[in-house]
Amino acid sequence: MATVVLGPEILPGTREYAWVTFVVEAVERRTGRASSWNRRLYEDRTGVLAAAVPSGPMVVNRALILDPVMRAYDAPETLSRQGLQRARLGVAVIVHETDHHQAELGDASAPDAIQELSPEDEALSEGLAEVKATRLTGLIMQDIQMDQAIPGSIGAFSGSLYPGFQAGVDGVLTGLHRVTGLPREDVLSAVEQTPRLQRYNAMADLVIATRLAGLMPPAHMPEVRRSLSRPLRHELAGLHKYESPHRDPLALDGLGREFSARAIRNLERTLDTIEQQYRQSSGGLETAHLRQFLDHGTQSGSGGGAAAGGGAAASGTAAAAPPAWRADRFRSGGGAAR
């Protein structure tokens, strides 16, 4: 991950600052979760679209994000397809970064915590942020009345910032929904509300709670959790070397689906072995073969596979109406000076 360099500060009172604030606050209302954004906003100086700085600030690229959004507010009624796409992309990027500011990092020294900024951490963190952006961007645009101020922007296609990670995480979430029988939104909520460094453990815990309850002795929990989370960590981390803004998004999407399908397939294979041996043992206590299986771990399968299936559906009830989001507030003649 590139080092974030804070450029000039974008001050309260400017329309750019007001727009970013409205988007962040709309996300907080929609999700019911506060963010750690400290209300300090800076221009980016590294070439990224935006970044949520762990210490609290947010940086946003003026040329690539803020200026196109402001031009869209200033434009006449007819806006080009590219202009509409850039307006929607601006919202999606702020939603994405707000998700990072809503995520607690967690204790790196806790049992089975993954390493911060490791391939498995970045794949899951960025993929979840894109899943959220896909679910929420249109709803946020309605909440802040941007769809009315910039007609046609809500229906524009802005693509994904991380198509491989997004498809991989989306496939894993859908696969866990099928394996556990839990509603997909419950799976997503359980994962995203868990500190980043423990999210793979949270996925395994959902499987244990729904498939091994009453079978597994509590003392076996750490080993079983590691065995079930291993294929998820391995496959999502494997996407890290492919994800790049220079690769074909459709190819990355296909890789994400392939890797997530394999992750779920290997998780199910491991789960079936564990479940079968517990059922065959005397009350789950004679588990020598299982112990050997857990100690040696499981190897991820090779080859591709069908996608684990399905896209995320929009969720959540309508949020409380935000303050009036007048279009003229963001036109160069009617808003605060930049």
Side-chain angles (χ1 to χ4, degrees):
M1 179 177 289
T3 301
V4 175
V5 178
L6 302 182
E9 186 167 6
I10 301 171
L11 297 173
T14 61
R15 60 185 190 153
E16 293 92 340
Y17 184 94
W19 177 77
V20 170
T21 300
F22 266 61
V23 174
V24 171
E25 290 178 350
V27 174
E28 291 175 330
R29 284 191 298 271
R30 274 275 170 186
T31 60
R33 297 169 61 199
S35 77
S36 62
W37 181 40
N38 64 2
R39 272 39 183 184
R40 301 293 294 272
L41 184 66
Y42 297 87
E43 291 186 35
D44 171 69
R45 283 290 188 263
T46 59
V48 300
L49 295 180
V53 183
S55 60
M58 185 183 295
V59 299
V60 183
N61 191 299
R62 180 178 288 278
L64 298 176
I65 298 298
L66 295 175
D67 287 348
V69 169
M70 296 301 112
R71 284 196 297 268
Y73 278 106
D74 292 341
E77 291 187 9
T78 302
L79 197 63
S80 69
R81 182 177 69 174
Q82 184 182 40
L84 295 172
Q85 290 173 336
R86 298 297 287 274
R88 183 183 173 96
L89 174 64
V91 181
V93 166
I94 303 303
V95 173
H96 178 110
E97 298 307 329
T98 300
D99 180 73
H100 289 325
H101 268 148
Q102 289 179 310
E104 180 186 348
L105 179 63
D107 183 0
S109 65
D112 297 317
I114 60 173
Q115 183 179 352
E116 182 183 2
L117 301 183
S118 62
E120 56 261 56
D121 175 36
E122 289 199 24
L124 183 51
S125 179
E126 301 294 357
L128 275 175
E130 280 301 281
V131 168
K132 175 177 282 188
T134 297
R135 281 169 43 237
L136 293 184
T137 295
L139 297 171
I140 298 303
M141 294 176 78
Q142 291 177 334
D143 290 348
I144 66 174
Q145 301 175 23
M146 191 172 174
D147 59 325
Q148 300 175 31
I150 310 173
S153 58
I154 196 171
F157 175 74
S158 57
S160 174
L161 301 179
Y162 297 92
F165 291 162
Q166 180 175 358
V169 171
D170 191 72
V172 164
L173 293 173
T174 300
L176 290 172
H177 150 66
R178 178 174 54 79
V179 171
T180 64
L182 297 170
R184 191 183 188 281
E185 286 304 310
D186 288 358
V187 174
L188 173 59
S189 178
V191 174
E192 68 179 359
Q193 292 186 43
T194 299
R196 263 174 48 192
L197 304 185
Q198 292 288 338
R199 282 173 167 170
Y200 288 97
N201 290 334
M203 294 179 183
D205 288 348
L206 292 175
V207 177
I208 291 169
T210 55
R211 296 289 298 271
L212 298 176
L215 293 175
M216 184 191 75
H220 292 188
M221 182 74 168
E223 292 90 349
V224 172
R225 177 190 285 146
R226 280 193 289 270
S227 294
L228 293 175
S229 66
R230 186 179 295 115
L232 306 179
R233 297 196 316 269
H234 177 80
E235 295 299 338
L236 288 184
L239 286 168
H240 193 270
K241 64 180 179 180
Y242 299 102
E243 187 69 77
S244 166
H246 306 296
R247 294 181 68 96
D248 176 27
L250 289 178
L252 288 171
D253 180 88
L255 281 173
R257 294 179 185 278
E258 175 187 336
F259 278 52
S260 64
R262 189 161 57 239
I264 294 299
R265 189 166 59 245
N266 289 335
L267 177 145
E268 288 186 292
R269 192 173 296 148
T270 300
L271 174 63
D272 288 346
T273 299
I274 293 172
E275 191 171 22
Q276 181 180 13
Q277 294 201 33
Y278 275 136
R279 291 189 183 281
Q280 290 176 348
S281 68
S282 301
L285 298 179
E286 297 171 6
T287 55
H289 292 294
L290 177 62
R291 175 69 65 180
Q292 184 178 25
F293 173 78
L294 295 174
D295 287 344
H296 284 81
T298 55
Q299 300 297 322
S300 296
S302 59
S315 68
T317 56
W325 190 244
R326 300 189 307 275
D328 60 358
R329 184 175 180 181
F330 294 91
R331 298 190 188 281
S332 56
R338 297 192 185 194

